[in-house]
Amino acid sequence: MSKVYEGEYTISELQSILISRQIKPTDNIVGPGFYNDVVYNGALLAMLTHAPNTLYLSGVGWTSLAQAKLPRYTPMYIPFEYRFFAITERIIRGHDEIQLSAGGPRQHCNVFFLGAMQVDKYGNQNISIRGTIDKPIFRGPGIIGLQTFATYMKRYYIYTRNHDTRTFVDEVDFISAPGYKNKYGDRKSWGFVDHGWNPNGPEEIITPIAVMDFDEETKHMRLKSVHPGHTVDEVKKKTGFDLIIPDKVPETDPPTEEEITLLRTQIDRQGALK
């Protein structure tokens, strides 16, 4: 294993690295359009380290970015990224993207990373509105396919730009993507198991200060690790519900020299993650 990086790094760099570690050599990824800089650069890092055959499906096409000339600038700011036209292996249209990422014989992707402006204790995600449908106090980008991906992807992960009591709430104001369960039932009662859909909610939640997963029995959010420089008490204080806290909470593995070097010299050369 590469030596631990001893210098300073940003939260966005750390989150991109943590995302890259979740990508397996056999994964094909659906690229999100929201907070895409973190996911996009994390996917590139995985392709250059341990998952060279992974494909990245966007609104424009699919490509193995590790085998092609990297875009001149990162990150992607929109899902229909025009710079992909120069390097994609195949150009696709919106209908094809749905066919390739939804369930069925043409499904191409198996993992998805989604951002969130609200997450609750059972992993329900909100990217649509704060407040109520009748009187929203803030509008986000909307569902934009998240229900489909949370249903059909074999694995999906949530990451957030903030870790505070406005982001981590007891119950989300609007369910953009379902977690393990909520006031309407759970994945079994919704027919997910009967139809062969993903029976699980998010695998992990990657925040600026910690990583969380979910208890196998209760499906309640659980603290998995705390990032370097942060504490369990800080995570508890900044979470709007009681987390399950194991007796021993490890520190998140920090970036390695190899990860930081590749990220800064070959991927994020414009310093977007800084």
Side-chain angles (χ1 to χ4, degrees), residues 154-199:
K154 291 182 179 179
R155 307 191 326 276
Y156 73 96
Y157 302 80
I158 294 175
Y159 62 100
T160 65
R161 293 287 195 183
N162 303 298
H163 192 134
D164 52 38
T165 55
R166 293 186 66 222
T167 304
F168 288 89
V169 296
D170 189 66
E171 182 179 345
V172 295
D173 294 342
F174 185 93
I175 300 173
S176 302
Y180 285 90
K181 59 183 180 180
N182 52 51
K183 60 186 176 182
Y184 303 109
D186 58 22
R187 290 193 169 226
K188 184 176 181 180
S189 68
W190 300 328
F192 278 46
V193 177
D194 294 338
H195 290 86
W197 302 335
N198 183 1

Side-chain angles (χ1 to χ4, degrees), residues 19-112:
I19 284 173
S20 75
R21 293 173 182 174
Q22 299 302 326
I23 297 171
K24 301 176 182 179
T26 55
D27 282 342
N28 288 330
I29 306 159
V30 176
F34 196 54
Y35 291 167
N36 210 12
D37 51 333
V38 171
V39 176
Y40 175 54
N41 286 294
L44 286 172
L45 180 59
M47 293 172 190
L48 291 181
T49 53
H50 61 275
N53 296 319
T54 290
L55 298 183
Y56 189 93
L57 178 68
S58 77
V60 169
W62 72 62
T63 181
S64 174
L65 295 177
Q67 302 298 325
K69 181 181 178 181
L70 298 182
R72 184 176 179 183
Y73 302 102
T74 56
M76 300 190 315
Y77 289 102
I78 55 176
F80 299 96
E81 172 50 59
Y82 67 91
R83 288 188 293 269
F84 266 142
F85 279 113
I87 59 172
T88 49
E89 297 176 6
R90 179 175 177 180
I91 303 298
I92 62 176
R93 298 183 180 182
H95 176 73
D96 293 319
E97 182 183 13
I98 295 299
Q99 292 295 313
L100 292 166
S101 58
R106 294 189 62 207
Q107 183 173 10
H108 188 69
C109 295
N110 64 305
V111 65
F112 181 60

